Amino acid sequence: MIVGKTVEDIGVQLPHDAYPQNKDQPTFGTYITIIVRNEKGEIVKIHKQWSHSPTSNFIGFLLPTNWYSNTGNTWTLINTNGNSYTFYPGAGGGANSPFYPSTGENYPSYLVGIQVGSGQQSNPYNAYSLAAPIANGTETGQLLYGQPSVSQTPTVSGNSVYFIISQAFNNQSGGTVTITELGIIIDIYMWNIDTRIAQNFGYFLMWYDVLSSPISVPNGGSIVIYYTFMVNP
C-alpha cells in the first residue's frame, strides 16, 4: 500500500509517443503501475506502461450473446491447465452461461488475482497461461501472493471513468526475484441449460502482458501491481 498517495498521484508519466492512436485521451485504455519497495519499505522503483493484451478467453466472453445466436458459432476456452471447453451462451439447447460475482448463486465465478511470472510469450492473444509462473511461497524464486483488491465502484475523474485491480507481493525467498510477465486470472463456473448443472471450468487467463523492462524484487522487499482500466468519452 502506498501511504499518503494513490496510484493516480504518482508522478511517472507515459512518454507522449507511447499513447495509442496518437491520442492523449484514448476511448479505452488499460495501463499497469508497479511500485517496488526494498526491505525497509522504501520505494526504489516505479514502473508504468500501457497494457494491450486481452486474451482469446477474454474476447470470447466479451462478444455479445446475439453474435453467438445469430452465427451459431461457439468459442473455445482454454484454462491454465490447457483443458479446452466449448462456450456457447444463450437460452437455447446446448447453451451454457457463466455465473457472475455477487449474483447470490451457489457457484459464482470470481477473480482469482494477478499472477506474475519470469517468462514471456510473443502472441498474448493465444496465451492461456503464463510462460513461467512464479509460485506462491517462500522458497527460492517464489513470492508471497497477497489478496487481490478491486475498486468497489468506478471512479469518475474529469472526462474519465476507471476502476483498478491491485495486488501486493512479498519476497521472503532469500534472494532477488525477477518478474517479466503478468496476467489476470478468473475462476469460471458455467451453468448448462440442458443439464441444469453447474461445472467449474477452472482458472482462465483473461489478460496477459509482457513487461517492457524486468522488475526485480529484492529479498525482504515487496511490490504492488495496479491494473487501471479507463474509459474516456
Side-chain angles (χ1 to χ4, degrees):
M1 179 177 294
I2 304 174
V3 179
K5 285 184 176 290
T6 65
V7 66
E8 301 85 0
D9 297 327
I10 297 170
V12 177
Q13 301 297 321
L14 291 169
H16 183 81
D17 60 1
Y19 285 95
Q21 301 175 353
N22 296 320
K23 295 181 180 179
D24 289 359
Q25 295 288 322
T27 300
F28 175 80
T30 304
Y31 61 89
I32 301 163
T33 306
I34 303 177
I35 311 301
V36 185
R37 294 178 181 270
N38 62 19
E39 69 280 0
K40 298 179 181 179
E42 301 166 335
I43 295 177
V44 294
K45 184 179 180 66
I46 298 172
H47 176 92
K48 197 169 185 178
Q49 71 175 70
W50 284 107
S51 169
H52 302 283
S53 307
T55 65
S56 174
N57 289 329
F58 179 86
I59 298 302
F61 282 103
L62 182 67
L63 288 171
T65 301
N66 62 357
W67 180 84
Y68 289 96
S69 60
N70 290 341
T71 64
N73 291 334
T74 61
W75 200 273
T76 299
L77 304 174
I78 304 177
N79 68 16
T80 56
N81 290 326
N83 298 320
S84 299
Y85 297 90
T86 298
F87 180 49
Y88 181 64
N96 53 21
S97 297
F99 280 105
Y100 288 108
S102 302
T103 60
E105 301 291 345
N106 292 327
Y107 304 100
S109 302
Y110 65 93
L111 171 69
V112 175
I114 299 171
Q115 187 177 43
V116 295
S118 58
Q120 60 180 346
Q121 298 176 72
S122 59
N123 188 349
Y125 175 79
N126 290 328
Y128 60 85
S129 67
L130 271 65
I134 293 174
N136 179 16
T138 58
E139 300 296 325
T140 301
Q142 297 181 345
L143 292 172
L144 283 172
Y145 283 55
Q147 291 297 313
S149 175
V150 183
S151 303
Q152 292 298 309
T153 58
T155 299
V156 178
S157 177
N159 292 329
S160 302
V161 178
Y162 65 89
F163 73 92
I164 296 173
I165 298 174
S166 62
Q167 190 167 343
F169 302 79
N170 290 281
N171 183 3
Q172 298 180 17
S173 68
T176 299
V177 176
T178 300
I179 298 169
T180 57
E181 60 178 346
L182 61 156
I184 297 175
I185 306 289
I186 304 288
D187 189 8
I188 300 294
Y189 277 85
M190 288 290 187
W191 177 259
N192 187 287
I193 299 297
D194 294 333
T195 64
R196 301 185 65 80
I197 295 176
Q199 180 183 3
N200 186 358
F201 279 19
Y203 288 1
F204 288 84
L205 181 66
M206 292 296 189
W207 208 273
Y208 175 82
D209 286 285
V210 173
L211 296 178
S212 56
S213 60
I215 298 295
S216 296
V217 187
N219 182 49
S222 64
I223 62 169
V224 181
I225 298 174
Y226 301 85
Y227 264 99
T228 302
F229 296 83
M230 179 176 295
V231 176
N232 303 109

